[in-house]
Amino acid sequence: MNIPTLAVVIPCFNEELCIKSTIEKLDVLFDKLINSGKIKSDSYFYLVDDGSSDSTWDIIEELHNINSRVKAVKFIRNFGNQKAILAGLEGVRDIGCDCAVSIDADLQQDENAIENFIDEYMNGADIVSGIRNDRKTDSFFKKTTALLFYKTMNILGAKIPPNHSDYRLVSKRALDIMELYHEKYLFLRGFFNEVGLKTSYVHFDVKPRLAGESKFNFMSLMTLALNGITSYSVVPLRFVAVLGFFMALFGFLVGVETVIEKIFWHNSPNGWATTIILLCIFGGIQLFCLGLIGEYVGQVFREVKARPRYIKDKELL
C-alpha cells in the first residue's frame, strides 16, 4: 500500500483558548510522520467552525494565512458536533485524501495515537476506532452516564464499542460509502460500526483538558443516544408492543377474576386506593410509550423534510 495523504478533521465550537496550541502540536506530529515516511507531505488539517460565537474563526483564518496545512470551513450557525464531523469528512473527501482522522479540538484524545492509526490502516484496515483506556479524567456523574450510554446503545441494537467516541481513522473507501447514506441525522458511531469494512482498534489515554470547557453535557449525550437508538434500532418499538400485550393480558385476567367473584361469591369490586394506583401506573406507562413512539415519529419527520445537514458560510482551502 502506498504512503497515504492524511486529513485530520477537527470540529470546533468556541475553542479560542486552545485551537492555536492544537495546531502547533499537530504540526509537530505531522513533521514526525512525514519524516518517518508514514504520511505524504501534502497531508493537512481541516477545521470545522460549528458557528462559534467567540474569536475561533478569526484565529483559524490567521492560522490558514501562515500555515499551508490549515484548511477550514465555517457554518452559518451551530449545527452540532455530529454535523461538524460529518461536514469535515465530506469536505476532505472532496478535497482529496487517502484517509481521514477525526479528533476533538482540545486534544484530550492523545494525538500521538494517530501514528498507530496509520499503522493499522497500512495493514489493511478501512476503519480504525480509538478506544480510551479508562475514564480517570471524568467525574463520577460523567462516568456513570457514559457507562449507561454504551450499555443502553448495545442492548437496544446500536452496536458500538464501549469507550469509543468519534476519534477514528476512516479510509477513502469508507468515505465513499458514507456518501451513499443520505440520512440528515446520520449517527456516525453506528454507521462506521455496521458498515462491514475491516475494522481495527487502537487504545489511547485521555489527557486533562488544558483550556476551556467541554461542550458535551448530559442533555447533548441524551440527544446523541436517542438519535443513535432511533436510527439503528427498532427494539424499543417492539418493547412497546410486548408491554402493551402484557398490560392487556393483565387487564383481562383482572376482569375475569372480578366477574368470577361477583357470580360465585357475590363480592363487589373494592380497593379504591389500589385502583387509583394502578391507573396512575398504567397511565404513566402509556405516556412513556407514546413518548418513545414520538421519538421515532420525530426522526421520520426530520428526515422527510430533507433540510440540508448544514450550511456553509465561508471556506478556506
Side-chain angles (χ1 to χ4, degrees), residues 185-187 222-232 299 302:
Y185 288 81
L186 182 63
F187 182 59
M222 181 65 70
T223 300
L224 184 66
L226 287 173
N227 181 44
I229 292 168
T230 54
S231 295
Y232 281 91
Q299 184 82 332
R302 290 192 296 266

Side-chain angles (χ1 to χ4, degrees), residues 122-314:
M122 294 299 288
N123 288 330
D126 283 296
I127 299 169
V128 185
S129 297
I131 309 293
R132 60 189 296 174
N133 288 319
D134 54 58
R135 290 190 168 272
K136 293 179 181 178
T137 58
D138 290 349
S139 64
F140 174 78
F141 178 75
K142 192 169 183 181
K143 287 178 184 177
T144 304
T145 53
L147 178 64
L148 287 173
F149 171 76
Y150 290 109
K151 290 283 187 185
T152 303
M153 294 296 289
N154 281 277
I155 289 172
L156 296 181
K159 302 297 183 182
I160 56 176
N163 293 328
H164 167 61
S165 54
D166 284 300
Y167 187 27
R168 71 174 71 84
L169 176 147
V170 294
S171 67
K172 175 65 162 53
R173 183 185 181 194
L175 293 176
D176 289 339
I177 293 175
M178 189 184 75
E179 283 294 304
L180 303 176
Y181 285 65
H182 302 296
E183 300 167 40
K184 302 304 174 186
Y185 288 81
L186 182 63
F187 182 59
L188 293 173
R189 299 185 200 185
F191 164 73
F192 285 118
N193 281 282
E194 70 125 26
V195 71
L197 296 174
K198 183 179 179 181
T199 302
S200 295
Y201 301 96
V202 169
H203 290 78
F204 66 94
D205 292 319
V206 174
K207 300 176 290 185
R209 188 180 175 98
L210 298 178
E213 297 179 353
S214 174
K215 308 306 182 296
F216 268 98
N217 52 37
F218 177 75
M219 288 306 299
S220 59
L221 195 64
M222 181 65 70
T223 300
L224 184 66
L226 287 173
N227 181 44
I229 292 168
T230 54
S231 295
Y232 281 91
S233 176
V234 294
V235 172
L237 292 178
R238 290 172 180 166
F239 168 76
V240 168
V242 172
L243 184 61
F245 170 78
F246 281 108
M247 286 176 63
L249 180 62
F250 176 78
F252 174 76
L253 293 176
V254 170
V256 170
E257 187 266 344
T258 302
V259 171
I260 291 174
E261 282 194 12
K262 182 66 175 177
I263 293 175
F264 293 99
W265 290 281
H266 305 290
N267 290 335
S268 299
N270 52 27
W272 286 107
T274 303
T275 303
I276 292 171
I277 291 170
L278 287 176
L279 282 173
C280 291
I281 291 174
F282 288 132
I285 292 174
Q286 288 174 332
L287 289 174
F288 169 76
C289 292
L290 283 173
L292 198 56
I293 295 169
E295 284 294 328
Y296 282 89
V297 174
Q299 184 82 332
V300 174
F301 174 68
R302 290 192 296 266
E303 290 293 335
V304 298
K305 286 190 295 185
R307 293 177 178 174
R309 288 169 167 168
Y310 50 84
I311 301 173
K312 295 180 182 180
D313 185 20
K314 301 175 184 177

Side-chain angles (χ1 to χ4, degrees), residues 16-31:
E16 62 181 3
L17 297 178
C18 65
I19 195 64
K20 277 188 178 180
S21 62
T22 293
I23 294 302
E24 288 171 359
K25 291 176 182 178
L26 290 176
D27 249 337
V28 172
L29 176 64
F30 266 39
D31 289 338

